[in-house]
Amino acid sequence: MKSRFITFEGIDGAGKSTHIAALTERLAQGGAAVVNTREPGGTVLAETLRGLFLHSGMDSLTEALLVFAGRRDHLQRVIEPALAAGQTVLCDRFTDASFAYQGAGRGMDLSILETLEDWVQEGRQPDLTLWFDLPALMAAQRRAAAREADRFEQQDLEFFERVRGGYAERAAAAPQRFARIDASLSVPEVAAQIAAVMEARGW
Ligand SMILES: Nc1ncnc2c1ncn2[C@@H]1O[C@H](COP(=O)(O)OP(=O)(O)O)[C@@H](O)[C@H]1O
Ligand SMILES: Cc1cn([C@H]2C[C@H](O)[C@@H](COP(=O)(O)OP(=O)(O)O)O2)c(=O)[nH]c1=O
């Protein structure tokens, strides 16, 4: 079976988790072997780094080094073996998040992130990135209703609008890979957009 690497991106509270579950079921019904994973995290080592990343204060370069170290381990131990076995990998966040959060959000030099991306991924890119786009205010309202904020989620609306802009830049630079989903709509409407993207690819 043909492997597929699909990533889910967007600001916190955009609806990624909600739709990963639904897409997993849809793909599994179609006979795909689906691997669900996430970043930061996805391996024992990377989950340890995730704990540090989410809960300790640090500068943006340190954040990027931690998250790309975890990504390397995640690629080697989980993502590449699954793709080699013809499986479908659904990953909640990947490198676009580093460009959006550390780059656009925290102002880190994008050329350093590009270098890390080249070193760590050795050319590997997602086959499809579903970008859940919605205004920062709406995402904050959904988060507030749902859960307690972690270190990143406590940032202000301006930060999340910058992150959103970072995703928009990545999407413009890779229009074949990215599909923008209007995440401000209802859950069924968002699900319909995702289904249309998948159908357009024959998936
Ligand atoms: N389209 C939607 N409309 C309204 N609420 C939504 C929608 N999608 C998700 N939610 C709710 O918003 C909150 C954040 O969604 P979640 O899927 O956890 O986002 P993420 O994984 O992107 O942070 C959850 O309480 C979820 O039930
Ligand atoms: C993958 C990645 C995530 N992050 C941030 C985005 C999120 O705020 C946080 C991950 O938290 P997580 O709880 O996984 O996100 P979500 O709210 O979508 O469930 O880490 C980065 O800053 N850089 C990265 O490279």
Side-chain angles (χ1 to χ4, degrees):
M1 187 170 285
K2 198 176 173 301
S3 68
R4 287 171 293 206
F5 180 23
I6 304 175
T7 59
F8 295 74
E9 297 283 0
I11 59 176
D12 301 72
K16 297 180 300 301
S17 313
T18 303
H19 291 281
I20 287 170
L23 186 58
T24 301
E25 206 178 300
R26 183 181 178 280
L27 289 168
Q29 274 171 3
V34 182
V35 175
N36 281 103
T37 189
R38 68 169 181 184
E39 290 204 355
T43 67
V44 173
L45 172 63
E47 290 290 333
T48 304
L49 297 177
R50 174 189 172 92
L52 297 171
F53 180 84
L54 289 183
H55 303 298
S56 327
M58 63 191 79
D59 87 323
S60 57
L61 176 57
T62 312
E63 285 177 4
L65 292 170
L66 281 185
V67 88
F68 271 102
R71 185 162 294 140
R72 176 84 181 166
D73 196 54
H74 191 205
L75 278 163
Q76 289 183 329
R77 290 182 196 275
V78 175
I79 298 172
E80 293 295 352
L83 296 176
Q87 295 173 336
T88 294
V89 176
L90 302 186
C91 190
D92 188 350
R93 299 188 183 282
F94 194 63
T95 300
D96 297 308
S98 308
F99 281 83
Y101 282 78
Q102 281 64 52
R106 301 208 54 198
M108 196 185 150
D109 183 344
L110 297 186
S111 68
I112 297 175
L113 293 171
E114 283 161 6
T115 301
L116 290 170
E117 181 181 32
D118 288 347
W119 282 359
V120 165
Q121 291 169 222
E122 301 182 70
R124 171 64 70 190
Q125 288 293 346
D127 298 304
L128 170 66
T129 296
L130 295 167
W131 168 37
F132 290 67
D133 186 35
L134 82 177
L137 178 60
M138 191 178 273
Q141 287 164 343
R142 288 186 188 170
R143 288 198 307 272
R147 60 188 184 230
E148 235 174 86
D150 66 27
R151 189 168 76 85
F152 283 85
E153 293 179 345
Q154 285 162 7
Q155 307 269 353
D156 56 25
L157 291 181
E158 277 174 30
F159 172 82
F160 284 110
E161 282 298 343
R162 287 200 301 279
V163 173
R164 186 185 182 201
Y167 278 125
E169 275 179 32
R170 289 284 284 181
Q176 306 292 331
R177 171 166 72 84
F178 265 85
R180 178 184 174 275
I181 303 296
D182 182 349
S184 69
L185 301 176
S186 69
V187 170
E189 286 168 315
V190 171
Q193 291 177 71
I194 295 169
V197 169
M198 300 297 286
E199 274 156 29
R201 283 172 167 71
W203 294 356

